Amino acid sequence: MKQDFRLIVIGSGISGLFVALEAQKLGPVLVLTKGSIEDCNTRWAQGGIAAAVGPLDSPEQHLADTIAAGAGLVDAEAARILCSEAPARIRDLVDYGVAFDSLGGEVALGREAAHSRARVLHAGGDRTGAAIETTLASAASGPGITILDHTIATRLLGERGAVTGVEAIDLASGTSISFEAPAVVIATGGAGRLYSHTTNPDVATGDGIALAFDAGAEVADLEFYQFHPTAYRSNSAPPFLISEAVRGEGAVLRNAAGEAFMGRYHELGDLAPRDVVARAIVAEMKATASENVFLDCTVIRGVDLAARFPAIFAFCRGQGIDIGREPIPVAPAAHYLMGGVRTDTFGRTTVPGLFAVGEAACTGVHGANRLASNSLMETVVFGKRMVECLNEAPRGAEPDPGAIECDDAGGASPGHWALQTLMWDCAGIERSGEGIERALAAANGWAHSPAEPTREWHERREMARLARLMLQAALRRTESRGAHYRSDFPERDDERWLRKQVFRRGH
Ligand code: SIN
């Protein structure tokens, strides 16, 4: 398309739309999205967005909690920026029209695991993501932003080591098109669809991370994948997120025998860090030979469940469960990738002209285990900073001197399900060297197949690329830390592993 764009954004979740809205003052912005504008992960976020705005809270306390959750690998400077700039970004979202819930005239603050204070703002109860996405999409409908939906980015174009455009396929016609701009942002979100059980929608296939790696950008922390402890589990419906905020209001996890078990695993009980809760649930499922545990909301007092959690209440009712009277069957499901395209604190990747924001990026704020509801905030804090540096001379982030060069010679996965079950079985909540090696051998053996102008083919290629990188990262890290649990190396090993793993493509 021969139009002069100031910026191309790939992805239309909160990261993509927020960046587009902030950048339109600099010139025309193009947003490419492979589905429709509302097909994004943001829409499904329930708990909310974390910011130290309460009278008993402070950015320092938020920072301390973020660092503690991250199991030794949080980038302290990036996390300091996240926590100190968060309150101002809440004001930006309010200016765009997001109506956060209030209680008694004050902003309502929820509690989630490993937060020492109630600091999670929400909108529409547990429909926070949908409320933000709808508001930003409506704000982005003006003339400064062109949104092309059903258009999948297939390659980043470059000149002299910098990214200068995007090659894409118009999925309606199957034709290839290319776009040019001095800056391109990867805002494609996460990769939950690499796993057979996930809280993420179909679009979350990690494409942008694989495209950036292919274009020479460094990627980091790919062994750290977060499994949400409580997704609805039954044979009759796909997993559905049951927000941690439900436990924040007092719900209790029980095993198949009805025992409230979390006290046996962690002093914070049901509000222990996510990785601890997910593994505890798996242990209880094994011990009781069941497919799930139960989340008991009947013990919650003084909360109107239908008003506070309208999405969860309606979903469970649709499954024949009245959550005020009956427990919800739950089990862990793939939820959030802590790693991604490595960026500095202005969203710059190591390739000039290429930026990354949100779940597709790795700013380092999550370390080995993300603190709940820091993800939506990360997108707006670093999205804002990214746009602020767009007018500077283009340059990349400093390369990591310890980056490991790796080649990816494998082909596309034979199908989504084959890859998803392989990743769930071999790179899930508990992994072992033997299982990861088996998965890598299978993934390396996938044959190259001729390119097809379809979303399915391109997703299979990018999912396979990302899976191979995640498996390599998981194999190399011979310890357990945060969300990465190796049954053959169950201890944390600070002497050898208090460091990130950064990968870049070999030449
Ligand atoms: C939740 O509501 O439990 C999910 C929030 C998050 O992943 O940050």
Side-chain angles (χ1 to χ4, degrees):
M1 188 180 269
K2 272 290 155 217
Q3 187 181 338
D4 283 338
F5 290 109
R6 179 66 189 82
L7 179 70
I8 300 172
V9 180
I10 310 176
S12 66
I14 181 174
S15 336
L17 293 179
F18 186 80
V19 162
L21 284 163
E22 293 285 316
Q24 62 180 333
K25 60 182 181 253
L26 305 175
V29 178
L30 172 66
V31 176
L32 302 176
T33 180
K34 68 181 176 182
S36 63
I37 186 166
E38 62 271 6
D39 289 336
C40 62
N41 215 355
T42 303
R43 182 159 288 274
W44 300 98
Q46 293 181 354
I49 181 163
V53 294
L56 302 175
D57 204 357
S58 67
E60 290 73 29
Q61 192 57 50
H62 186 183
L63 175 61
D65 292 346
T66 300
I67 288 177
L73 286 190
V74 168
D75 179 315
E77 174 58 7
R80 187 195 61 72
I81 290 170
L82 174 83
C83 300
S84 59
E85 295 186 9
R89 297 296 77 78
I90 290 291
R91 287 193 288 280
D92 289 347
L93 289 172
V94 169
D95 288 346
Y96 279 122
V98 177
F100 289 106
D101 296 336
S102 58
L103 195 64
E106 302 291 329
V107 65
L109 296 172
R111 182 90 192 265
E112 289 188 35
H115 284 275
S116 59
R117 303 279 188 278
R119 68 163 68 94
V120 180
L121 292 88
H122 44 89
D126 58 2
R127 295 195 167 120
T128 309
I132 296 178
E133 175 73 14
T134 309
T135 307
L136 296 188
S138 133
S141 61
I145 301 174
T146 304
I147 298 178
L148 288 186
D149 57 7
H150 302 287
T151 305
I152 188 168
T154 54
R155 196 160 67 95
L156 298 171
L157 303 171
E159 264 172 36
R160 291 187 285 281
V163 163
T164 55
V166 178
E167 190 176 86
I169 292 175
D170 169 6
L171 293 169
S173 63
T175 46
S176 179
I177 24 176
S178 51
F179 307 94
E180 287 171 15
V184 173
V185 188
I186 302 287
T188 46
R193 284 283 153 177
L194 266 65
Y195 290 94
S196 48
H197 299 278
T198 180
T199 59
N200 292 185
D202 284 355
V203 287
T205 51
D207 316 354
I209 302 169
L211 288 180
F213 174 79
D214 193 47
E218 290 180 356
V219 293
D221 288 352
L222 293 179
E223 65 274 42
F224 297 117
Y225 195 92
Q226 185 170 73
F227 295 84
H228 197 288
T230 56
Y232 177 76
R233 173 65 70 89
S234 96
N235 291 331
S236 57
F240 181 85
L241 179 64
I242 309 294
S243 176
E244 210 161 59
V246 179
R247 277 176 283 134
E249 295 288 359
V252 170
L253 284 161
R254 297 187 188 281
N255 62 20
E259 181 207 356
F261 57 85
M262 271 314 300
R264 281 197 272 113
Y265 290 88
H266 198 277
E267 62 194 12
L268 293 174
D270 289 279
L271 288 180
R274 263 184 201 176
D275 58 313
V276 176
V277 183
R279 283 197 297 278
I281 290 175
V282 170
E284 292 297 313
M285 283 161 49
K286 276 190 192 152
T288 57
S290 9
E291 293 289 305
N292 58 272
V293 295
F294 293 93
L295 186 63
D296 180 2
C297 305
T298 66
V299 292
I300 299 178
R301 296 283 169 264
V303 177
D304 177 346
L305 294 174
R308 175 67 183 88
F309 301 111
I312 294 169
F313 191 88
F315 172 84
C316 289
R317 173 159 282 184
Q319 301 302 313
I321 298 169
D322 174 351
I323 65 172
R325 293 167 187 273
E326 300 156 86
I328 311 171
V330 292
H335 186 59
Y336 188 90
L337 179 59
M338 265 75 73
V341 188
R342 190 177 150 261
T343 70
D344 64 11
T345 56
F346 290 92
R348 295 183 193 102
T349 74
T350 45
V351 177
L354 182 65
F355 297 79
V357 182
E359 191 172 346
C362 180
T363 60
V365 295
H366 307 308
N369 188 37
R370 177 179 63 96
L371 189 66
S373 292
N374 266 356
S375 44
L376 291 182
M377 183 47 77
E378 182 195 24
T379 69
V380 286
V381 164
F382 294 98
K384 182 94 173 183
R385 293 170 66 87
M386 194 223 102
V387 172
E388 276 165 10
C389 83
L390 269 185
N391 271 343
E392 294 171 12
R395 65 180 171 90
E398 283 299 310
D400 186 309
I404 300 157
E405 293 206 344
C406 39
D407 289 310
D408 181 40
S413 80
H416 286 21
W417 186 248
L419 181 142
Q420 289 161 343
T421 47
L422 193 70
M423 290 296 281
W424 182 259
D425 292 345
C426 301
I429 299 165
E430 283 186 22
R431 316 82 198 264
S432 70
E434 182 274 327
I436 301 167
E437 275 176 1
R438 192 157 30 87
L440 251 181
N444 282 334
W446 287 331
H448 290 269
S449 58
E452 296 163 22
T454 62
R455 170 170 157 182
E456 208 256 337
W457 188 89
H458 284 278
E459 284 185 346
R460 284 199 284 115
R461 182 181 67 170
E462 308 314 352
M463 288 165 82
R465 278 180 174 165
L466 181 56
R468 284 189 285 266
L469 291 169
M470 288 167 69
L471 289 165
Q472 287 180 59
L475 186 62
R476 297 176 73 100
R477 184 172 286 276
T478 47
E479 66 152 358
S480 291
R481 178 184 300 272
H484 171 72
Y485 182 81
R486 285 274 301 254
S487 54
D488 48 347
F489 292 95
E491 303 300 329
R492 176 165 153 170
D493 180 356
D494 278 353
E495 215 168 290
R496 292 181 60 228
W497 282 110
L498 197 55
R499 59 185 166 88
K500 296 167 93 64
Q501 292 194 94
V502 178
F503 291 168
R504 88 166 72 95
R505 209 188 57 181
H507 293 294

